[in-house]
Amino acid sequence: FVFGGGVAMERDAPVSRYVPEKFVAASFVTYAGRGTVDPEDQLFFGSYLARPESAGIFASADLVIAVGTELAEVDLWRKHLGFDCQLVRVDVDPRVLTDGQLADIRIRADADAFLRALAAHPSSKEVSGWTAEEVAGFRRKARAEVEAEFPGVARVADAAGRGSRGAGRVHPGGTLLGVRRVSPGVRPEDHRAPWCDAGRVRTRARRVPSASS
């Protein structure tokens, strides 16, 4: 699964928080989709879609279901997720369903309604091809890479998460871009952080793509 902002907007406790585990499915979230998956889920890869290694994970998938996400360039930093299997897109926007990702199955539906219908099906008895150790190792490596690219930024994100609204604010620039890249993994359940405006960061990231690639 890939969950985006369309899922995060639905309810305080999105159904998506338990759907991946119910079906023994791995999951990613976009930056706007933080908080839509239980951070304790052992097959949750986090919001590290932009890391090059994530393409290899998608390449080994049997099916990809993207819910409520544009799969935007600022989330992927590449043109394609990397999968070689069927893609199911679920969105209320017909433009998303017909974009360059070339979905095999397009479902124009509200994300919450789709996930609730999916959750009504019996739980899967399958065994995932990914292990909890592999997923945890990917997340550790991804965070370490971001820390290497933006030294100290993980500590800024950690401190912002612990601090108050005023104490947690950061200023625009390279640090903000770094926080955008690492904070979803640091603070996966807080997708409406008051100290970091997603729209402003996304706009800045478009202008300076090399700074956060």
Side-chain angles (χ1 to χ4, degrees):
F1 286 97
V2 181
F3 297 115
V7 180
M9 293 172 61
E10 292 297 338
R11 296 174 184 270
D12 291 335
V15 183
S16 55
R17 285 182 70 87
Y18 59 83
V19 163
E21 188 172 7
K22 179 183 176 79
F23 294 103
V24 198
S27 61
F28 278 87
V29 296
T30 66
Y31 179 79
R34 291 185 301 160
T36 58
V37 176
D38 182 355
E40 300 301 319
D41 186 338
Q42 294 186 338
L43 295 180
F44 177 44
F45 281 97
S47 59
Y48 295 112
L49 285 168
R51 305 315 304 176
E53 293 85 352
S54 73
I57 294 169
F58 282 99
S60 61
D62 299 309
L63 176 70
V64 176
I65 304 176
V67 185
T69 173
E70 296 178 5
L71 298 176
E73 183 183 354
V74 292
D75 285 310
L76 305 182
W77 291 103
R78 58 183 183 271
K79 293 186 179 298
H80 194 266
L81 273 173
F83 59 86
D84 187 25
C85 60
Q86 282 198 324
L87 170 65
V88 177
R89 295 292 296 273
V90 181
D91 209 285
V92 295
D93 189 341
R95 294 171 297 181
V96 171
L97 299 177
T98 56
D99 67 8
Q101 295 293 335
L102 301 177
D104 299 280
I105 300 174
R106 304 174 178 91
I107 302 174
R108 189 178 182 184
D110 172 84
D112 187 69
F114 170 79
L115 291 171
R116 287 183 181 278
L118 189 62
H121 288 266
S123 298
S124 174
K125 303 299 182 183
E126 297 293 328
V127 176
S128 174
W130 293 291
T131 66
E133 291 75 18
E134 288 173 327
V135 175
F138 170 86
R139 293 186 63 173
R140 285 194 300 269
K141 183 174 184 291
R143 177 178 167 127
E145 289 173 346
V146 176
E147 174 68 16
E149 293 172 13
F150 301 95
V153 76
R155 292 190 294 276
V156 172
D158 286 336
R162 292 190 297 267
S164 65
R165 175 168 179 157
R169 289 189 181 277
V170 295
H171 294 287
T175 300
L176 183 55
L177 286 170
V179 169
R180 179 195 180 278
R181 290 292 299 277
V182 74
S183 62
V186 175
R187 309 172 60 210
E189 63 279 344
D190 181 8
H191 61 283
R192 293 185 179 89
W195 51 271
C196 186
D197 181 86
R200 182 178 301 173
V201 177
R202 188 174 294 114
T203 300
R204 187 170 295 276
R206 284 200 187 103
R207 293 175 182 170
V208 196
S210 61
S212 55
S213 59

